[in-house]
Amino acid sequence: APWHLMMSLTPSRGCLLDLPWEDILVPHILCHLPLQQLLSLQRVSKSFQSLIQLYLANMRCFDSSQIGPAIPRAAFVNLLKDNEVLQQLALQNCSDWLTDRELLPVIGQNHHLHQIQLKGCAQLSRHALVAISLSCPNLRRLSLAHCEWVDSLSLRSLADHCKALEAVDLTACRQLKDEAICYLVQKCSRLKSVSLAVNANVGDVAVEEIAKCCPELEHLDLTGCLRVKNDSIRVLAEYCPKLRSLKVKHCHNVAESSLSILRSRGVELDVEPPLQRALVLLQDVVGFAPFINLQI
């Protein structure tokens, strides 16, 4: 409805654009329109173009998925060139076009960012993470999943400058080893959510340090971390009373003997208990689950 309203009320009719832009149009009308439609609206007239540019300069949240992954480089740069008030930036899966050249100017002029999503942005480099750490002191959530360019030096920079970090996704950041993870959690003790999934270099040393340094930890993803064993899971249970979920699927050295402690506390696990797993397998084979006296 707002879209049809704006398209029908052109400047020549002297209605919509007479409303206060910054007090009414930007915060109460334009914010309800999809970004793709706002960009189309720029073509209505020069006045509308100016209005949309004002909106883009004051936008608090930018999500590339509202436009599509194939944003032309020049278009992205133009969209955010005047914005210095971004709080959330989501550029997941923009690997086809996003490089340091496009991202660094946006990061450099937006010091209020507290949430950044760069999942799958494979063409960036360690300089992007260093820029984030230097420009975003209030950063709370950061996703670098499948960004294999993340290395220990750039992660140390993040740890040194972004101590308010509460959630970090380092899934498949395969350059990282225990030492880098330990340094991060020692500096960022407010972490509540950590993903180290699909990293064969991560082992018990990192998990135990997470447990001891992050008492507020609620979610930990260790999927496919083959070097993680029972000992570190027991330490996790001892030091993290607020843990709500733990993913250890494909961690072949983690057994029920350590998981049962967390399971008894109601922690959500992605691995079923042995008896339940056996019943499921039996049902698949014979087509039913026989009655079993669980009190035996």
Side-chain angles (χ1 to χ4, degrees):
W3 170 248
H4 296 297
L5 172 67
M6 297 188 77
M7 291 301 291
S8 61
L9 294 175
T10 59
S12 61
R13 298 178 64 174
C15 294
L16 185 66
L17 293 176
D18 287 342
L19 294 172
W21 288 17
E22 295 190 54
D23 295 331
I24 301 297
L25 294 183
V26 170
H28 298 294
I29 295 180
L30 297 187
C31 63
H32 296 292
L33 299 179
L35 187 56
Q36 185 68 57
Q37 291 186 350
L38 288 172
L39 299 181
S40 299
L41 192 60
Q42 290 186 101
R43 298 193 291 267
V44 172
S45 69
K46 289 185 177 180
S47 295
F48 270 112
Q49 183 179 21
S50 299
L51 173 61
I52 301 307
Q53 287 176 346
L54 175 66
Y55 173 81
L56 293 173
N58 289 277
M59 188 167 49
R60 299 295 198 273
C61 177
F62 179 85
D63 187 344
S64 63
S65 65
Q66 294 184 9
I67 305 175
I71 308 173
R73 286 185 171 89
F76 171 75
V77 172
N78 186 61
L79 285 174
L80 297 179
K81 63 181 175 61
D82 298 322
N83 193 307
E84 298 180 358
V85 294
L86 273 180
Q87 295 179 2
Q88 300 179 36
L89 179 63
L91 298 170
Q92 62 270 26
N93 300 316
C94 294
S95 58
D96 290 341
W97 60 272
L98 185 66
T99 68
D100 290 356
R101 183 176 181 179
E102 292 78 39
L103 180 63
L104 265 56
V106 175
I107 297 297
Q109 66 191 33
N110 282 281
H111 305 294
H112 303 289
L113 280 163
H114 59 74
Q115 184 169 326
I116 300 177
Q117 165 68 266
L118 296 175
K119 177 182 177 181
C121 294
Q123 290 195 57
L124 297 176
S125 77
R126 61 183 303 272
H127 300 296
L129 185 52
V130 172
I132 289 171
S133 65
L134 296 177
S135 296
C136 309
N138 300 314
L139 190 66
R140 295 201 300 271
R141 305 184 67 86
L142 175 63
S143 175
L144 298 168
H146 302 281
C147 293
E148 297 195 21
W149 44 265
V150 177
D151 61 9
S152 59
L153 288 176
S154 56
L155 195 69
R156 287 175 73 92
S157 179
L158 178 72
D160 286 335
H161 297 94
C162 298
K163 294 183 173 62
L165 203 62
E166 295 179 358
V168 61
D169 187 347
L170 300 171
T171 298
C173 293
R174 294 186 176 90
Q175 289 195 58
L176 301 179
K177 298 181 181 179
D178 284 346
E179 293 176 342
I181 303 302
C182 289
Y183 190 87
L184 174 69
V185 298
Q186 288 165 4
K187 297 286 187 175
C188 302
S189 58
R190 300 183 192 177
L191 281 167
K192 296 180 180 180
S193 177
V194 178
S195 175
L196 303 173
V198 200
N199 191 332
N201 293 318
V202 170
D204 285 342
V205 173
V207 176
E208 290 182 15
E209 198 67 16
I210 291 172
K212 293 175 181 178
C213 294
C214 304
E216 302 297 316
L217 189 70
E218 297 178 1
H219 307 283
L220 179 60
D221 189 347
L222 300 172
T223 304
C225 294
L226 304 179
R227 294 176 55 228
V228 173
K229 301 181 180 67
N230 285 319
D231 288 346
S232 62
I233 301 302
R234 292 191 182 97
V235 174
L236 196 67
E238 180 180 356
Y239 283 88
C240 297
K242 297 184 179 181
L243 191 67
R244 293 166 51 192
S245 71
L246 173 66
K247 295 183 178 181
V248 288
K249 189 172 287 187
H250 307 304
C251 295
H252 304 305
N253 294 313
V254 174
E256 185 62 22
S257 59
S258 62
L259 293 177
S260 60
I261 306 169
L262 294 169
R263 204 185 298 279
S264 66
R265 282 176 19 198
V267 175
E268 180 183 343
L269 303 173
D270 63 344
V271 176
E272 294 175 338
L275 177 60
Q276 181 65 31
R277 201 178 315 141
L279 286 175
V280 171
L281 292 173
L282 184 59
Q283 187 172 13
D284 289 341
V285 173
V286 300
F288 69 98
F291 174 79
I292 296 178
N293 187 348
L294 298 179
Q295 294 181 338
I296 296 176

